[in-house]
Amino acid sequence: MGLLSDPNRRKAITSLLTRLNTPICVVCYLAGIAWFMGLAFEPFTLRTYMSENAMGSTMVEERFPSGERALATAREFAAHKKKVGGMPVDWLVKTMRAQGLEVFTQSFSRNLPFPDESKERFVVRGTNVYGILRAPRAPRTEALVLSAPCSPGNSNNQAVGLLLGLAQYFRSQIYWAKDIIFLVNEHDLIGVQAWLEGYHHTNITGMGYTPLQGRAGSIQAALSLELNSDVVTSLDLVLEGLNGQLPNLDLANLFHAFCQKLGILCTIQGKLQRSDWDTVEGYTHSAQTMLLMVLKQASGRPWGEHGLFLRYHIEAASIRGVNSFRQYKTDATSIGRLFEGMVRKLNNLLERLHQSYFFYLMPSLTRFVSIGYYMPAFGLLTTILLLRALDLWVHLGTPTPVTEDGVGEGESPSSPGLLSVLTPVVISHLTGVALYTLPVLSQEMAVEHFPVSETEAVVLTAIAIYTAGLALPHNTHRLISGEGTEQGWRVLKLVALLYLAVLLGCTALINFSLGFILAVTLVPAAACVTPHVPKALSAVAMVLLSPGCTILYCVFLFQELQEVPVSLAEGWMLFLSVISQGILDHALYGSLVYPLLALLVYPCWLLFWNILFWK
Amino acid sequence: SLISLTSVAFLLRGNCKHVRTKDSPPNICGFNLILVPDIKICRLVNVKTVIPMVQLLNWRRGLFPQTKMAAPLTLVLILSVTIRAVLFRSSLAELISERVEVVSPLNAWKRGLFCYYVLQENNISLFFQTPLVIYLFHFVVDYAEIVFMIVDGITAVALYLAVQNYNKNVFRKQKYALEADRYPHDCLELMRSPKEMHYIPLKVAMFYLLNPFTILSCVAKSTCGLNNAVMALFILSTLKGSALLSAIFLALATYQSIYPLTLFAPGLLFLLQRLYIPVNPCRSRFWFFTVQYSVMFIGSLLVIVCLSFFLLGSWDFIPSVYGFILSVPDLTPNIGLFWYFFAEMFEHFRFFFICVFQINVFFYTIPLSVKLKEHPVFLIFMQIAIISIFKSYPTVGDIALYMAFLPVWSHLYRFLRNIFLVSCVLLACTALFPVLWHLWIYAGSANSNFYYAITLLFNVGQILLVSDYFYAYLRREHHLSQGLYLRRKDGSEATLVLK
């Protein structure tokens, strides 16, 4: 406590921090970025290991025999699907019932706020079919879910076939201690959302659905299966869920352990693991994998059907079959065995998965970075904001030499009116509210007056409000509070810096990737901006570092990392669709990225914009 | 202009010792100037120093500006009522009333309502609230929202009047001290001017009514608002010098939550000071008044307790309310320090540590009363802060009460050392509480350790804040007696260090 009470030492530290503020900030920024990039370097990461005792030591034997039969079922399913022109509900009910499951259906409907052009849907009606295999060995208080989507067209038939094959096989086994629910859902995530809301008796997104007739116990874990071909070369594990939530790391470990055991190639982010970590290519590869995970997590959208389960405290992952041009193929029997093994181990669980990590990044399937390793990178970036705030505080308090000790010359300067600080804050937030509400509300009007479709209208309105916000605040605050003072912008900047620091800190705790990406672009802008820098140049820099442009860069980076680079025009179209998807995700599933950006981050950035044009 | 002349006379008297005679009463000093018009003395006095002094003393006739402040106060009241009414009608009200930071098992509206209905229908006494509050529910259950808004308004007005009164006293004391030349001459910048003190009562009301903590607590219909109102009325009646009312409100506050018992010491000290009775155990007047005040306090406490007994016909409420407060059986997470500690505790150590934790709350009364016996109002502030930090079921509403007093000590600002750090910590913690709660309870990815870490940090921040104000207050008093620019024996500049 000596540091907090000894005036001399405090004075020394404060003067050091104010004198060397800029160099320390630059060093912090570079160190933060370097630390983050270093996370992908294999020696700095930890090896994954199974923490859950119930899944580690218990041996299970996989005996699933009927891969061919499952594929035959898949073909039958495809034929019925074609005949009905959608989900063959009656056939599914009949087949599941024939296998001895308790079968129920749930119909749901949902009107989208505006048409979804990428999936071509506006008014969605559909039916979920699920069968429950009751556990013979336990009091049926817990359940596991295996799900497969019934996708339009010819895709994903094999997944449903395999699901039915597994159901038939599981029915004949006696060791189940948890109910197993086999769910075939229509309209991908919307169907899952309706089913989960029905199962848990909640309605958070305004979905219309019929109540579930049959229920099992509380769901412990869920696996979602996506399979498009009879044979696959590798299986891809998808972990990123709604709002960047991740399942317990043990689920990934379980998947990896069974892939090793059965000799199936497994990938994460579609990237195979490389063994040459000490070469440049090896490092680049794992850095790419990690960056892909960061970008996917930051988007806050569910990247597979499992993504919505996570919100209900259910550990879930999607497993996606990939068929590429490799020689080595895996047949449906092996995939079935993989699922059998995973479900049997999950069946052995005594409590929910909780032993392993929930906060992690994966540069490869066998390596992970835990929260303790990646948080310092973010911490270094936030330190800059706090250092700048401290600097401003010291300057504000003492125009004359530092009076930390209270015994100082000079009177405190006349404090700027509360109004001159409050006005920009209120106006920025009102702009944020406009950005959040107007695009969806005003689509009809926009469609009437401009030759655009509804989706385009929403996206373009959002961009228009975003751009208009740049002009608005710094013009209005002068009208109300008169001329801004030198003290005025300092106080405003102090408030804005602390606001940004708290905002980014909270974001990073919930969704590290989003917090970090925002920090990388927003922190330099926030740290450097004053009214005394050259206006035009710094205005351009500020716009380039604004949240909207960050999304644009992320789109290009994502395409680059996925090795499907796009041209500028295509990138722009992708950017537009990303915005409309973000708004839709918020409306449909309750993703928080859009409201966070519109209501908090953008107004905060506007405050800095306001400082730049302070007169 | 005679007044200003008189003021200058004071000054001159202060600066040239040979003029002053010990037995000259202060009110004839105007003649002193006429008697000793020495031009040299005028040159000695720094003109810069004279002007604020003259301004200060110009206020002597009215003592304190009594301009109309009712209009802004009404405005603040209307604004705060509007905010609360909007929040009551929004969907947030439900969410807020379930936040553990805002309601505790002791003051949650829902649990109070539950007690009320159970009592009404089955005649079973199941208590989380004191019987009088439950009896109050009988009348207000249908107009709860309005009642809670009115209660907040009463608290704010009581604090406003109390602080106005206190400031008048402070100013009067300062003036007498100046006239009696008790302050060192370099302390002029420490003097408080009426201009800066003018808006303090309004700021106090504003700090209470517009504090997000109070708003949350009111919207959640936490009975903490009632406790705060009782405490505020206690402060008001004490500062107005009414011993009986003060004792009654103190008894009510104690009856509500035990801990305000520690406010007995500052209340007594203030009343003694007001009656010019020195705190001296050898004097019979001291003992006479102390016994008088204690009898009033204990008497009203007994009356209230007996009233509760007659309302209910049983003594069940004593173990179930006070036992609940003292033995901390409910370990629902909150912003206090108890829950995690006692959740981790081995059962056979529990009693010992409960004693330690509870004694901790009451213990600070003794050293603080000794140290601050000349400054009972600051002592009240310190005690309220300590109660709200260390009590067994704290909520943000408790914090709001002592935070409302911060504008009263705005003159200590220059001596505060960690205010930037502390406000950053408190701000960040306030934002992190809901985030970590979400991660722990809903997402399931964090755990209780995360939440408790923030609780700890929040409390450390509060303790730093309070000790900072304590240090600053003592430091100012020290400067007022020793001079602002301290010198070591060798003549170099000295600094005060707290180690």
Side-chain angles (χ1 to χ4, degrees):
Chain A
M1 294 308 274
L3 230 177
L4 289 176
S5 54
D6 184 343
N8 297 324
R9 266 186 268 169
R10 290 164 57 86
K11 204 183 277 182
I13 287 187
T14 323
S15 71
L16 185 78
L17 284 181
T18 44
R19 204 151 30 86
L20 296 178
N21 202 281
T22 316
I24 294 177
C25 287
V26 172
V27 167
C28 274
Y29 189 75
L30 295 178
I33 303 283
W35 185 297
F36 179 75
M37 292 317 291
L39 293 176
F41 192 50
E42 198 169 308
F44 297 158
T45 57
L46 298 172
R47 213 182 157 71
T48 52
Y49 55 92
M50 188 73 83
S51 304
E52 177 62 56
N53 287 328
M55 295 200 310
S57 58
T58 48
M59 296 295 290
V60 292
E61 228 177 313
E62 304 83 35
R63 293 202 188 126
F64 178 68
S66 46
E68 284 308 314
R69 203 165 147 192
L71 291 178
T73 320
R75 280 190 282 275
E76 203 180 330
F77 171 72
H80 278 92
K81 190 161 94 172
K82 215 171 198 174
K83 206 167 71 189
V84 181
M87 181 137 135
V89 177
D90 297 333
W91 181 83
L92 272 173
V93 169
K94 205 178 72 191
T95 319
M96 281 189 178
R97 204 162 273 160
Q99 289 168 349
L101 305 180
E102 288 178 28
V103 190
F104 305 96
T105 58
Q106 181 206 25
S107 53
F108 58 90
S109 67
R110 178 81 166 98
N111 291 352
L112 271 57
F114 57 91
D116 182 358
E117 286 192 347
S118 64
K119 283 177 180 153
E120 293 175 351
R121 57 189 183 191
F122 182 43
V123 178
V124 178
R125 275 171 217 294
T127 313
N128 293 323
V129 179
Y130 64 102
I132 303 174
L133 168 60
R134 295 291 180 190
R137 301 273 296 242
R140 301 174 180 179
T141 52
E142 294 175 337
L144 302 172
V145 173
L146 273 177
S147 79
C150 168
S151 316
N154 222 356
S155 59
N156 234 2
N157 295 331
Q158 283 81 356
V160 179
L162 190 59
L163 191 80
L164 295 174
L166 281 171
Q168 189 168 29
Y169 173 70
F170 285 176
R171 177 75 178 84
S172 57
Q173 308 303 318
I174 49 141
Y175 39 63
W176 299 115
K178 295 176 171 48
D179 294 345
I180 300 176
I181 303 172
F182 297 91
L183 168 69
V184 180
N185 58 293
E186 206 176 353
H187 297 298
D188 49 61
L189 286 166
I190 300 183
V192 176
Q193 173 82 13
W195 190 80
L196 278 168
E197 290 195 353
Y199 198 90
H200 294 101
H201 295 299
T202 55
N203 196 343
I204 36 181
T205 53
M207 175 93 66
Y209 57 81
T210 56
L212 297 188
Q213 298 301 320
R215 289 162 43 84
S218 89
I219 303 172
Q220 304 289 303
L223 291 174
S224 174
L225 177 62
E226 287 170 42
L227 206 58
N228 283 319
S229 52
D230 290 353
V231 286
V232 297
T233 47
S234 62
L235 290 178
D236 189 43
L237 180 70
V238 186
L239 296 171
E240 299 84 4
L242 187 71
N243 292 329
Q245 228 181 316
L246 299 170
N248 196 291
L249 188 57
D250 269 343
L251 204 62
N253 296 339
L254 183 69
F255 171 74
H256 184 247
F258 272 100
C259 283
Q260 297 292 96
K261 188 176 174 190
L262 296 167
I264 303 175
L265 273 184
C266 51
T267 61
I268 187 162
Q269 322 298 347
K271 306 248 183 212
L272 269 177
Q273 188 169 9
R274 289 173 67 130
S275 52
D276 53 343
W277 58 268
D278 47 354
T279 61
V280 176
E281 291 82 30
Y283 169 74
T284 325
H285 187 80
S286 54
Q288 277 179 349
T289 318
M290 189 180 76
L291 278 177
L292 269 176
M293 179 159 185
V294 166
L295 287 173
K296 280 185 175 177
Q297 199 189 3
S299 75
R301 35 185 331 205
W303 284 82
E305 295 213 325
H306 70 282
L308 296 174
F309 284 92
L310 295 171
R311 174 162 52 194
Y312 295 91
H313 212 328
I314 299 166
E315 304 313 320
S318 288
I319 293 165
R320 194 169 282 163
V322 181
N323 197 12
S324 66
F325 302 110
R326 262 174 213 277
Q327 284 297 317
Y328 183 76
K329 304 279 186 189
T330 307
D331 60 352
T333 311
S334 312
I335 303 173
R337 287 195 172 157
L338 175 94
F339 272 89
E340 185 199 354
M342 286 179 75
V343 173
R344 281 198 62 184
K345 284 239 179 167
L346 291 172
N347 180 51
N348 288 344
L349 281 181
L350 295 176
E351 43 189 335
R352 273 172 205 278
L353 286 175
H354 67 279
Q355 299 271 9
S356 195
Y357 296 83
F358 284 94
F359 298 102
Y360 54 87
L361 295 175
M362 297 190 91
S364 71
L365 205 47
T366 53
R367 294 271 161 183
F368 76 101
V369 185
S370 77
I371 184 169
Y373 288 78
Y374 65 61
M375 264 305 176
F378 176 77
L380 282 167
L381 294 188
T382 334
T383 313
I384 298 173
L385 297 177
L386 295 180
L387 281 176
R388 296 309 275 192
L390 181 74
D391 188 38
L392 276 177
W393 175 263
V394 172
H395 279 295
L396 271 176
T398 55
T400 41
V402 186
T403 56
E404 279 299 299
D405 199 23
V407 187
E409 307 276 330
E411 296 177 331
S412 66
S414 59
S415 61
L418 186 68
L419 210 58
S420 71
V421 177
L422 206 61
T423 321
V425 172
V426 171
I427 289 177
S428 306
H429 281 86
L430 288 181
T431 320
V433 172
L435 181 59
Y436 175 67
T437 50
L438 284 187
V440 178
L441 282 182
S442 66
Q443 52 169 319
E444 277 176 26
M445 208 167 66
V447 169
E448 258 175 47
H449 293 93
F450 299 98
V452 286
S453 72
E454 273 97 346
T455 318
E456 281 170 334
V458 170
V459 175
L460 294 178
T461 318
I463 294 178
I465 295 173
Y466 186 90
T467 324
L470 304 189
L472 183 73
H474 65 272
N475 282 335
T476 40
H477 93 266
R478 255 176 285 155
L479 287 178
I480 297 177
S481 56
E483 290 296 290
T485 54
E486 189 72 0
Q487 293 292 327
W489 74 261
R490 290 218 166 120
V491 173
L492 181 60
K493 188 173 172 185
L494 181 68
V495 171
L497 281 172
L498 292 179
Y499 181 28
L500 186 64
V502 170
L503 183 62
L504 289 180
C506 291
T507 313
L509 271 177
I510 291 178
N511 184 346
F512 165 76
S513 304
L514 183 60
F516 186 78
I517 288 177
L518 286 176
V520 166
T521 52
L522 284 178
V523 165
C528 300
V529 67
T530 61
H532 307 306
V533 288
K535 287 272 183 309
L537 195 68
S538 30
V540 172
M542 279 287 286
V543 170
L544 288 179
L545 292 174
S546 77
C549 290
T550 312
I551 301 177
L552 189 65
Y553 307 144
C554 286
V555 169
F556 280 107
L557 183 63
F558 185 70
Q559 294 298 327
E560 198 63 40
L561 289 172
Q562 283 211 316
E563 290 158 12
V564 272
V566 287
S567 68
L568 274 180
E570 285 168 330
W572 177 254
M573 293 315 288
L574 263 177
F575 171 65
L576 296 186
S577 80
V578 162
I579 294 176
S580 73
Q581 289 298 320
I583 299 176
L584 268 183
D585 281 347
H586 172 59
L588 289 180
Y589 320 120
S591 153
L592 291 175
V593 175
Y594 172 57
L596 175 82
L597 288 180
L599 293 176
L600 297 170
V601 177
Y602 173 63
C604 189
W605 179 84
L606 274 184
L607 289 180
F608 292 108
W609 181 256
N610 207 322
I611 292 165
L612 182 64
F613 290 97
W614 191 272
K615 290 233 177 71
Chain B
S1 63
L2 180 67
I3 293 165
S4 59
L5 265 181
T6 323
S7 321
V8 174
F10 281 128
L11 277 176
L12 297 186
R13 244 162 40 80
N15 279 284
C16 65
K17 303 285 183 199
H18 68 270
V19 176
R20 196 172 65 176
T21 50
K22 213 174 182 183
D23 51 359
S24 71
N27 57 353
I28 58 154
C29 51
F31 301 104
N32 281 356
L33 181 71
I34 302 158
L35 288 175
V36 198
D38 192 343
I39 212 79
K40 272 184 199 166
I41 301 166
C42 291
R43 222 181 291 141
L44 281 173
V45 182
N46 188 348
V47 180
K48 249 187 177 176
T49 333
V50 173
I51 292 162
M53 191 74 116
V54 171
Q55 280 174 349
L56 271 178
L57 294 175
N58 263 342
W59 291 100
R60 66 192 296 266
R61 194 190 284 169
L63 275 181
F64 202 72
Q66 290 286 352
T67 42
K68 295 272 181 293
M69 292 280 282
L73 183 65
T74 321
L75 206 68
V76 170
L77 278 170
I78 290 171
L79 182 65
S80 64
V81 167
T82 318
I83 294 174
R84 284 163 170 77
V86 167
L87 279 174
F88 268 127
R89 289 280 157 259
S90 74
S91 56
L92 284 173
E94 184 71 13
L95 183 79
I96 292 169
S97 64
E98 280 168 10
R99 299 295 317 166
V100 285
E101 296 88 2
V102 183
V103 294
S104 73
L106 261 179
N107 60 23
W109 172 253
K110 270 187 188 166
R111 294 183 76 148
L113 219 55
F114 176 70
C115 304
Y116 169 65
Y117 284 123
V118 164
L119 186 72
Q120 207 176 34
E121 288 172 14
N122 308 335
N123 219 0
I124 299 170
S125 33
L126 225 174
F127 291 104
F128 305 105
Q129 311 262 8
T130 48
L132 280 190
V133 170
I134 295 177
Y135 189 66
L136 191 72
F137 272 38
H138 183 69
F139 300 105
V140 306
V141 82
D142 297 327
Y143 327 98
E145 295 173 3
I146 298 171
V147 169
F148 276 100
M149 286 195 268
I150 292 174
V151 165
D152 267 10
I154 291 175
T155 315
V157 172
L159 288 176
Y160 176 88
L161 294 175
V163 169
Q164 205 173 34
N165 198 317
Y166 171 66
N167 273 352
K168 248 186 249 170
N169 286 342
V170 166
F171 189 71
R172 193 188 299 129
K173 249 187 224 166
Q174 178 179 302
K175 194 177 66 83
Y176 288 148
L178 269 176
E179 285 177 356
D181 196 27
R182 258 188 255 126
Y183 293 136
H185 307 299
D186 54 356
C187 280
L188 253 190
E189 40 185 297
L190 290 185
M191 293 300 107
R192 307 186 58 191
S193 71
K195 200 178 144 205
E196 94 174 92
M197 284 162 85
H198 183 62
Y199 286 106
I200 285 179
L202 187 67
K203 278 187 195 162
V204 168
M206 224 160 80
F207 256 59
Y208 187 75
L209 282 177
L210 300 182
N211 189 339
F213 288 161
T214 327
I215 295 175
L216 287 177
S217 172
C218 176
V219 172
K221 294 188 256 184
S222 151
T223 49
C224 179
L226 296 178
N227 299 355
N228 282 354
V230 174
M231 298 247 249
L233 287 173
F234 157 72
I235 294 167
L236 176 64
S237 49
T238 313
L239 292 187
K240 289 275 186 192
S242 156
L244 180 64
L245 273 180
S246 151
I248 290 174
F249 282 119
L250 182 61
L252 259 177
T254 311
Y255 167 79
Q256 278 293 340
S257 61
I258 297 186
Y259 295 113
L261 182 64
T262 57
L263 294 178
F264 181 82
L268 178 68
L269 283 172
F270 185 88
L271 292 170
L272 284 172
Q273 200 182 54
R274 204 184 143 86
L275 297 171
Y276 303 106
I277 303 171
V279 183
N280 185 352
C282 309
R283 299 281 284 272
S284 62
R285 273 188 77 198
F286 168 73
W287 284 113
F288 178 70
F289 188 78
T290 310
V291 169
Q292 196 186 349
Y293 190 62
S294 327
V295 166
M296 281 191 277
F297 170 64
I298 293 169
S300 34
L301 195 60
L302 274 179
V303 168
I304 296 167
V305 171
C306 291
L307 199 64
S308 317
F309 171 73
F310 291 125
L311 274 176
L312 292 172
S314 80
W315 292 108
D316 287 353
F317 67 94
I318 290 192
S320 54
V321 174
Y322 303 116
F324 193 79
I325 294 174
L326 291 177
S327 71
V328 203
D330 190 315
L331 299 178
T332 316
N334 55 29
I335 56 170
L337 298 165
F338 278 67
W339 62 275
Y340 187 86
F341 198 77
F342 287 100
E344 299 283 310
M345 178 83 55
F346 285 121
E347 200 55 40
H348 49 277
F349 292 127
R350 194 183 155 90
F351 180 70
F352 172 69
F353 276 102
I354 279 186
C355 292
V356 172
F357 268 61
Q358 298 287 11
I359 288 170
N360 179 44
V361 189
F362 294 97
F363 183 74
Y364 295 101
T365 316
I366 302 162
L368 285 179
S369 306
V370 172
K371 188 75 196 166
L372 292 173
K373 69 176 182 226
E374 302 294 323
H375 312 283
V377 178
F378 191 74
L379 183 55
I380 290 181
F381 163 73
M382 291 293 293
Q383 290 288 5
I384 295 176
I386 284 169
I387 289 172
S388 76
I389 296 169
F390 292 117
K391 74 190 277 191
S392 48
Y393 302 101
T395 56
V396 290
D398 299 308
I399 296 168
L401 183 62
Y402 83 81
M403 283 203 168
F405 274 92
L406 295 184
V408 183
W409 321 118
S410 57
H411 59 287
L412 301 179
Y413 176 77
R414 57 181 301 168
F415 296 117
L416 292 178
R417 299 158 304 161
N418 300 320
I419 189 73
F420 177 66
L421 183 78
V422 169
S423 25
C424 285
V425 165
L426 292 183
L427 204 74
C429 287
T430 314
L432 284 176
F433 272 128
V435 168
L436 289 171
W437 182 262
H438 168 85
L439 286 180
W440 174 21
I441 300 297
Y442 296 105
S445 38
N447 52 39
S448 58
N449 300 319
F450 288 58
Y451 191 75
Y452 187 63
I454 289 304
T455 312
L456 266 184
L457 193 62
F458 188 65
N459 282 305
V460 168
Q462 286 190 71
I463 291 167
L464 276 180
L465 179 76
V466 173
S467 54
D468 219 14
Y469 269 96
F470 182 55
Y471 168 79
Y473 196 89
L474 291 183
R475 173 121 188 240
R476 180 171 179 271
E477 290 305 316
H478 183 81
H479 282 309
L480 282 182
S481 60
Q482 305 293 323
L484 189 53
Y485 300 100
L486 304 174
R487 301 270 163 208
R488 289 214 187 85
K489 270 175 193 162
D490 56 356
S492 62
E493 214 175 281
T495 47
L496 280 179
V497 179
L498 179 80
K499 279 195 173 158

